[in-house]
Amino acid sequence: MRVPPRLAAAVDVVDPAPDARVLEVGCGRGVAAVLLVDRLPRGRYTGLDRSATATAATAARLAGRGTVHTTALAAFRPAPGTVDLALAINVNVFWTGAARAELAVLATALDAGGVLHLVYGSDGAAPRGDVADRLRDHLTAGGFAPTVTTPTRRGVRLLHVRAALGGGGPVRTPRSPG
């Protein structure tokens, strides 16, 4: 399996604990999922993607070592406090709009002390500078306390936003389905 440097770099930056309960938003075809699961000998992996083709590829790559759901994050209904670490790599919904519903789902899913990691980067150019301000504003409004860094890993410059609950803004709970 060819691993794009940006995905390996993102997983390196996040560096989940061996027993972490990880939720990956926008798991795509499962390349980062395999890297994550390899770091979780006692943990648990759950991946989400809107594409059935992508989730089928992820499930095949994981071969039973994780759970994959075909759904948008806003429609996902996790049990409260069941995630230690949520990760989204190059997922646009968090910076292109307020992502209120998506952040509410993550606020529900994250356990006390859980962390959301938003990572942006490409195998070529550096991340766009305006994205950090938008992410910071959206996360703060969603009740998260974001910290923004621009680390370089494996030769890839990343925009990494680490956000814990407790940013002082309103935490919105997801609506009941129906």
Side-chain angles (χ1 to χ4, degrees):
M1 168 178 69
R2 183 189 164 294
V3 178
R6 72 182 175 281
L7 296 180
V11 172
D12 282 354
V13 165
V14 172
D15 193 25
D19 61 348
R21 299 168 298 168
V22 175
L23 173 65
E24 183 185 11
V25 177
C27 63
R29 300 185 60 77
V31 176
V34 170
L35 299 175
L36 288 162
V37 167
D38 287 347
R39 292 179 181 229
L40 302 172
R42 296 179 310 282
R44 186 179 72 228
Y45 172 88
T46 302
L48 305 179
D49 203 287
R50 296 179 300 180
S51 165
T53 301
T55 55
T58 300
R61 280 199 163 122
L62 291 178
R65 298 187 302 157
T67 304
V68 184
H69 301 276
T70 304
T71 185
L73 174 58
F76 186 58
R77 296 295 175 249
T82 55
V83 173
D84 301 310
L85 184 155
L87 167 65
I89 302 170
N90 290 342
V91 174
N92 290 337
V93 71
F94 297 106
W95 71 270
T96 58
R100 287 180 189 97
E102 292 81 3
L103 291 172
V105 169
L106 293 170
T108 297
L110 287 168
D111 197 3
V115 177
L116 168 61
H117 294 268
L118 303 178
V119 184
Y120 296 86
S122 70
D123 294 336
R128 288 179 37 189
D130 65 321
V131 173
D133 290 336
R134 292 180 189 184
L135 289 168
R136 189 180 295 112
D137 291 347
H138 298 161
L139 287 163
T140 300
F144 288 83
T147 302
V148 178
T149 59
T150 53
T152 299
R153 296 285 192 286
R154 299 178 184 245
V156 178
R157 178 148 182 193
L158 301 170
L159 171 62
H160 175 222
V161 181
R162 182 184 189 283
L165 282 172
V171 175
R172 296 168 184 86
T173 55
R175 293 177 299 207
S176 298

